[in-house]
Amino acid sequence: MFVNIEDIAQINILLKELKEKNGLTTKEYKVLLEKSYHLFSEDNDDLYNLGLSVICHIAERKPTDPFIQQLLYDCMVSSRVFLYADMYDKLDNNFIGNIDMSYMDMISKEFYTLNTNTVLTKDQKKLFDDFQEYRRLIVSAPTSFGKSRIISEIIAHNNYKNIAIILPTIALLNETYQKFKETAFLSEYNLINSIAQPISENKNIFILTPEKMDMILDQDPRLKIDFFTMDEIYKIQDDNDRRTIFTHCLYRLTKKSADFYLIGPYFNGFSENFLKETNAVFRKYKAEIVQKDIVDLSIVDYQGKYKIENITYKKLRDKDRNLFNVLKSLKGQSLIYLGQRGRVEGKAKKIAQTKEKKYHNDLIDYIKENIHNNWSLAELLEKGIAFHHSSIPKYIQTEIVEAFNNEQLDILICTTTLTEGVNTSAKNVIIYDNFKGKQDLLLNGFDVKNIKGRAGRFLSHFLGRVIILENLSEEKDKGTIEFSYYDNDNLDTEETIQVDKVDLLGRNLVSRNEVEYQLEQINIPFHLIQSNKFIPVFNQIKLIRYFRDNLNVLSEMIFNGNMPNKSQFSKILQICHQFLFNDRDANDRTMFLGNLIRLTNFYIYRSPLIKDLINNQNGQHIDTKVRNTFYLISHYFEFALPRYLTIFEKLFNFVYEEKTNRKEGINLKPLITKLEFGYINKHQIALREAGIPVNIINKISEKFTNCENIDDIKLKISLNPQLLNMLSSFEMNLLKKYI
């Protein structure tokens, strides 16, 4: 052992003093750095992290003494986080000039530099080498580790033809797509971020959510995937509606015999059965290369003192006044976490009352012109503030994050949409609420650790700061992530029918056989029920029985032309609500059935502008109307209703053919397409799938009526850029970003 207990104790004492002061004496710096240097020679994660903490906290204080800078540099080299030196040189332009860089230092750095000129940290190099050896790797590492940084390096160093990048949120998908577009050595690949894009014979990178990837595999079950990665992998075990599709997508991809790299933060292990079945390896890393300082106001008594940026405050009873004091003293940009969409918007407006207007950009004008002149987001942006949640259109989410990272915004108030993998330039994270979604659903220890991890960004900050305003669960890692298909001997019926029978054992196999037997007894094809993924089998059988028992409904639903009439469509939605809606949608208090039918009919048969759809919402406040409109579009129109209507069509046509011996039945595909994309023409759908806002599509649509897909559109634009002359510079930039 290179350091003894006494040395560790002294390091901790001096580090504590450093955190509480602006700096240390030269002698104290010397002692702290000399003793910390040996921490990096220990094979101990906790000691290594202690050494990183010393480097980060000293670098944050920016000592100018050349001797101390040399010791600091030596520790950086010893830590094998070579980019620390580049970061410090941005703070002090004399830093590199002051240090003595040895030949061995340069050799060491060269060892951690890949042939793409990417410099890895010590643990990133271990991870990369592990992948190259084992090819199937599952990694748990902190949020600041740089796990996603390795993805492009894996692609660059291997000759893969078809690659799938599976991401849990639209915000993370957009970030990854833009990053890959700008990476030169990935230019040989066809980047696919929608199901409407054409697939090349080889060299495709699919950047999709699990839902979209599953659709791609349904369209082409024989599609060969050579390598895939899935971020936030712990979501296969989350207790929510998406757990099943995450699990199923992972299962289908592993059946492709592909290499894979599954990543996420803060979990202690991964399913032994999964590792065995797929011949995969699990690795856990603990290095926090961006260290965190925590200020916990929840444990400070009323009128008790706390310090931020060397400014001392007394804790007040009013949580908002404490928040304003914190924001007044903080340096750097801040993320503020709240648990609900409405609360995020309300808090943003309250903070804005304390700010003056200082920004103006094209996004503000765009929002006022195309969404609503009185939507508070526009006014907030003028004050350097924005809110971010899942109901905001994805292109606006992307613009907000980009503006924040370009320092055009100082404060971003968000739900979990920005605390689950999206990289921002936030130095500070303020945790205002201790719940997510519902006030009785408290953040667990993993949620807390994950949110805290968003403070500070490697290459921008040595330290992130976390301010806690509410009592929180003690932060902790998740345990072992289970893979239900291999680990759960009591799967839901809906899961057993999606798993290959060779992978089912015990009760799961019995359940599967029972389903097959029962369906056979009532003359329902197994493949019909299986194709309607994760819709309860019992509900599907009930709907089939309803059709069989109500032959008048069969005749009433038959229509001529592309669309049913309003009365027929209303009846279809009522039946879907009765038999197919999941509990969340059936009991949605923000969108009662009558209102859903009214607004869906309005959208389908009137093709309104976003402004008109907003104005037709119930509610007194514009922010509520806007939020509900975007929720209606993103959840119901683009996701839930197309799914329910597809299943309705399949089951209806099955019974219709059974009763009439005719296959014509009904065709809801034009209706479903109109809901999902807002259009029915191929060129418009291609633009919408690429992420282009509706108002831009409406402006340029007629120029591309002879285009079949996004590649045709790109080619036509490249041959004649004047086709887009009607767009503003902001709209042009949006178009370029997505196509």
Side-chain angles (χ1 to χ4, degrees):
M1 187 170 181
F2 294 91
V3 289
N4 56 43
I5 295 174
E6 290 77 16
D7 288 339
I8 295 171
Q10 191 169 7
I11 290 168
N12 280 310
I13 290 169
L14 288 171
L15 183 58
K16 185 173 184 291
E17 286 185 27
L18 179 61
K19 291 178 180 180
E20 294 172 351
K21 300 177 182 178
N22 278 328
L24 301 174
T25 66
T26 300
K27 182 179 179 181
E28 288 172 326
Y29 273 133
K30 176 178 180 295
V31 171
L32 180 55
L33 285 165
E34 286 178 340
K35 291 188 179 298
S36 297
Y37 180 85
H38 299 290
L39 294 172
F40 302 111
S41 301
E42 300 289 345
D43 187 20
N44 182 297
D45 289 336
D46 292 333
L47 294 181
Y48 183 75
N49 258 326
L50 178 59
L52 294 182
S53 185
V54 169
I55 290 174
C56 291
H57 280 87
I58 292 178
E60 185 81 1
R61 300 312 190 273
K62 299 189 285 285
T64 57
D65 182 277
F67 177 65
I68 298 304
Q69 288 191 348
Q70 180 67 52
L71 291 177
L72 178 60
Y73 172 77
D74 291 342
C75 283
M76 290 174 176
V77 172
S78 185
S79 75
R80 299 301 189 256
V81 186
F82 295 97
L83 292 176
Y84 277 157
D86 297 335
M87 292 168 61
Y88 196 85
D89 197 51
K90 292 178 183 177
L91 300 176
D92 182 350
N93 294 331
N94 297 317
F95 178 62
I96 297 297
N98 287 340
I99 61 162
D100 178 19
M101 191 181 301
S102 72
Y103 178 71
M104 285 306 299
D105 292 345
M106 290 185 280
I107 292 296
S108 296
K109 184 176 181 180
E110 188 66 26
F111 177 76
Y112 289 89
T113 304
L114 302 180
N115 57 19
T116 54
N117 290 322
T118 301
V119 181
L120 302 181
T121 68
K122 182 181 78 170
D123 283 350
Q124 286 173 346
K125 183 66 165 60
K126 284 183 186 176
L127 191 162
F128 179 78
D129 290 345
D130 271 350
F131 179 83
Q132 293 297 89
E133 179 179 355
Y134 298 109
R135 299 289 170 172
R136 293 181 173 185
L137 194 63
I138 304 169
V139 173
S140 167
T143 51
S144 61
F145 182 91
K147 301 179 291 297
S148 58
R149 191 171 178 234
I150 305 299
I151 296 172
S152 56
E153 297 304 324
I154 289 174
I155 297 171
H157 288 82
N158 295 281
N159 187 28
Y160 295 126
K161 293 182 179 179
N162 287 323
I163 295 163
I165 313 293
I166 311 303
L167 301 162
T169 64
I170 295 298
L172 194 53
L173 190 152
N174 289 343
E175 178 191 346
T176 304
Y177 179 72
Q178 296 303 327
K179 189 185 301 179
F180 276 34
K181 272 184 69 175
E182 296 162 6
T183 303
F185 58 76
L186 297 179
S187 60
E188 63 179 314
Y189 283 94
N190 176 35
L191 301 184
I192 297 174
N193 66 342
S194 77
I195 61 174
Q197 285 177 256
I199 300 173
S200 302
E201 287 189 18
N202 53 38
K203 294 295 182 180
N204 298 291
I205 298 180
F206 301 89
I207 306 174
L208 300 166
T209 61
E211 291 87 350
K212 295 289 187 183
M213 190 68 225
D214 197 56
M215 290 181 190
I216 293 278
L217 295 176
D218 282 343
Q219 290 174 1
D220 187 1
R222 293 178 296 178
L223 176 67
K224 174 69 175 172
I225 299 293
D226 305 298
F227 167 72
F228 72 91
T229 183
M230 186 176 280
D231 201 355
E232 309 293 310
I233 190 61
Y234 61 86
K235 288 186 175 292
I236 67 168
Q237 190 175 273
D238 273 6
D239 186 19
N240 59 43
D241 292 340
R242 297 183 74 197
R243 174 188 65 80
T244 51
I245 192 61
F246 270 80
T247 300
H248 189 61
C249 183
L250 175 57
Y251 176 71
R252 295 185 77 177
L253 287 170
T254 58
K255 290 293 183 179
K256 298 287 183 182
S257 301
D259 295 351
F260 59 74
Y261 172 56
L262 311 180
I263 54 179
Y266 311 126
F267 57 93
N268 291 325
F270 204 84
S271 162
E272 288 294 331
N273 289 325
F274 182 90
L275 296 177
K276 182 179 177 181
E277 287 286 338
T278 61
N279 196 28
V281 172
F282 171 73
R283 293 285 185 265
K284 178 168 185 177
Y285 297 93
K286 297 181 180 179
E288 297 273 3
I289 55 178
V290 178
Q291 291 285 308
K292 308 291 185 284
D293 271 351
I294 311 293
V295 180
D296 190 350
L297 269 66
S298 73
I299 61 174
V300 178
D301 293 332
Y302 168 60
Q303 292 292 309
K305 294 181 179 180
Y306 63 93
K307 186 184 289 187
I308 297 177
E309 300 282 10
N310 294 309
I311 301 174
T312 300
Y313 293 99
K314 286 185 178 180
K315 182 178 176 180
L316 307 173
R317 293 194 190 279
D318 188 318
K319 192 162 68 167
D320 279 348
R321 290 178 64 191
N322 290 325
L323 173 63
F324 298 152
N325 283 339
V326 166
L327 290 173
K328 192 163 51 179
S329 61
L330 285 176
K331 295 176 183 176
Q333 296 167 286
S334 299
L335 285 181
I336 305 176
Y337 169 80
L338 283 95
Q340 295 171 335
R341 292 186 291 257
R343 286 174 61 79
V344 161
E345 295 173 8
K347 198 59 61 189
K349 286 185 278 189
K350 198 162 187 178
I351 293 169
Q353 292 172 2
T354 67
K355 306 287 183 182
E356 299 293 329
K357 290 184 179 181
K358 60 176 180 176
Y359 294 105
H360 185 81
N361 59 44
D362 292 335
L363 177 60
I364 296 169
D365 294 334
Y366 181 89
I367 287 171
K368 288 181 177 180
E369 180 182 348
N370 295 288
I371 297 177
H372 203 287
N373 190 54
N374 294 322
W375 189 24
S376 65
L377 180 61
E379 182 181 349
L380 293 170
L381 289 168
E382 292 174 330
K383 297 184 176 184
I385 299 169
F387 52 77
H388 189 291
H389 55 65
S390 59
S391 292
I392 295 175
K394 62 182 181 181
Y395 71 93
I396 294 182
Q397 289 185 30
T398 300
E399 293 301 307
I400 287 171
V401 172
E402 191 173 291
F404 187 76
N405 288 341
N406 291 334
E407 299 186 352
Q408 296 172 332
L409 298 174
D410 307 314
I411 298 170
L412 195 47
I413 302 95
C414 61
T415 59
T416 54
T417 56
L418 267 178
T419 57
E420 295 185 340
V422 178
N423 295 310
T424 73
S425 56
K427 165 92 171 165
N428 314 295
V429 166
I430 302 169
I431 305 178
Y432 188 92
D433 283 340
N434 63 355
F435 61 89
K436 56 180 179 180
K438 299 178 181 178
Q439 296 202 10
D440 59 351
L441 182 60
L442 296 180
L443 296 170
N444 59 40
F446 171 78
D447 296 326
V448 170
K449 193 165 186 176
N450 204 10
I451 293 172
K452 286 181 177 180
R454 304 301 158 186
R457 185 179 187 180
F458 185 51
L459 301 180
S460 298
H461 309 112
F462 287 99
L463 287 179
R465 183 180 286 106
V466 180
I467 314 294
I468 300 169
L469 299 179
E470 195 64 77
N471 290 317
L472 299 173
S473 301
E474 182 180 352
E475 65 176 80
K476 63 179 180 180
D477 292 356
K478 282 184 177 287
T480 297
I481 304 299
E482 291 188 346
F483 182 72
S484 60
Y485 284 9
Y486 296 152
D487 295 330
N488 186 350
D489 64 356
N490 192 23
L491 290 171
D492 292 340
T493 301
E494 289 67 39
E495 291 176 293
T496 64
I497 67 174
Q498 300 301 330
V499 182
D500 294 346
K501 278 185 106 170
V502 295
D503 292 324
L504 293 172
L505 299 170
R507 283 183 289 184
N508 292 330
L509 183 57
V510 170
S511 175
R512 168 66 169 269
N513 289 333
E514 180 64 23
V515 171
E516 292 179 358
Y517 173 76
Q518 291 294 341
L519 291 174
E520 185 179 3
Q521 294 302 302
I522 52 179
N523 296 316
I524 298 176
F526 174 77
H527 67 83
L528 174 68
I529 301 300
Q530 185 187 42
S531 68
N532 301 324
K533 294 174 186 173
F534 309 114
I535 293 292
V537 174
F538 179 69
N539 289 10
Q540 294 189 61
I541 294 172
K542 281 177 64 179
L543 180 52
I544 288 172
R545 283 175 171 166
Y546 172 80
F547 288 140
R548 285 172 170 174
D549 294 341
N550 294 273
L551 299 183
N552 60 310
V553 172
L554 296 182
S555 58
E556 288 171 5
M557 292 295 106
I558 298 299
F559 57 88
N560 297 317
N562 283 336
M563 300 273 190
N565 61 42
K566 288 184 181 181
S567 175
Q568 289 171 318
F569 184 45
S570 297
K571 179 69 172 178
I572 290 170
L573 285 181
Q574 289 170 348
I575 294 171
C576 286
H577 183 270
Q578 180 179 351
F579 293 99
L580 299 178
F581 274 36
N582 62 26
D583 289 343
R584 169 189 166 176
D585 295 339
N587 301 306
D588 189 348
R589 299 183 65 83
T590 64
M591 195 59 62
F592 291 108
L593 178 60
N595 201 32
L596 178 63
I597 291 173
R598 177 180 69 85
L599 291 169
T600 307
N601 271 312
F602 181 57
Y603 187 74
I604 290 293
Y605 298 103
R606 299 282 295 276
S607 300
L609 298 172
I610 292 294
K611 281 184 173 182
D612 297 327
L613 197 56
I614 290 169
N615 289 331
N616 269 271
Q617 286 283 348
N618 294 329
Q620 296 180 339
H621 303 291
I622 291 300
D623 277 14
T624 303
K625 289 185 173 185
V626 172
R627 185 191 329 124
N628 288 345
T629 297
F630 288 139
Y631 172 67
L632 174 69
I633 293 171
S634 63
H635 179 67
Y636 283 102
F637 292 173
E638 296 179 352
F639 175 66
L641 290 184
R643 186 168 173 240
Y644 296 139
L645 291 169
T646 298
I647 296 167
F648 179 96
E649 179 192 274
K650 287 182 189 177
L651 301 185
F652 179 95
N653 286 339
F654 164 70
V655 178
Y656 186 81
E657 182 180 0
E658 178 185 70
K659 296 297 183 182
T660 66
N661 288 321
R662 295 196 311 220
K663 291 188 176 182
E664 298 83 49
I666 58 172
N667 178 14
L668 297 181
K669 289 179 179 58
L671 175 67
I672 292 167
T673 301
K674 179 70 179 290
L675 267 176
E676 193 169 3
F677 301 106
Y679 303 98
I680 58 174
N681 295 315
K682 287 183 178 180
H683 68 289
Q684 294 170 316
I685 293 169
L687 288 165
R688 192 75 190 98
E689 263 279 86
I692 308 301
V694 170
N695 78 292
I696 295 179
I697 297 174
N698 291 340
K699 283 186 178 182
I700 67 174
S701 176
E702 64 179 18
K703 306 289 185 181
F704 302 100
T705 53
N706 58 343
C707 294
E708 290 285 315
N709 53 55
I710 203 70
D711 286 349
D712 288 350
I713 293 170
K714 289 178 183 178
L715 176 60
K716 196 167 185 180
I717 291 171
S718 67
L719 294 172
N720 186 8
Q722 284 70 37
L723 289 172
L724 305 177
N725 282 346
M726 75 289 292
L727 297 181
S728 68
S729 58
F730 177 74
E731 291 169 333
M732 277 291 295
N733 288 334
L734 272 181
L735 193 71
K736 289 177 182 177
K737 190 175 292 183
Y738 291 103
I739 68 168

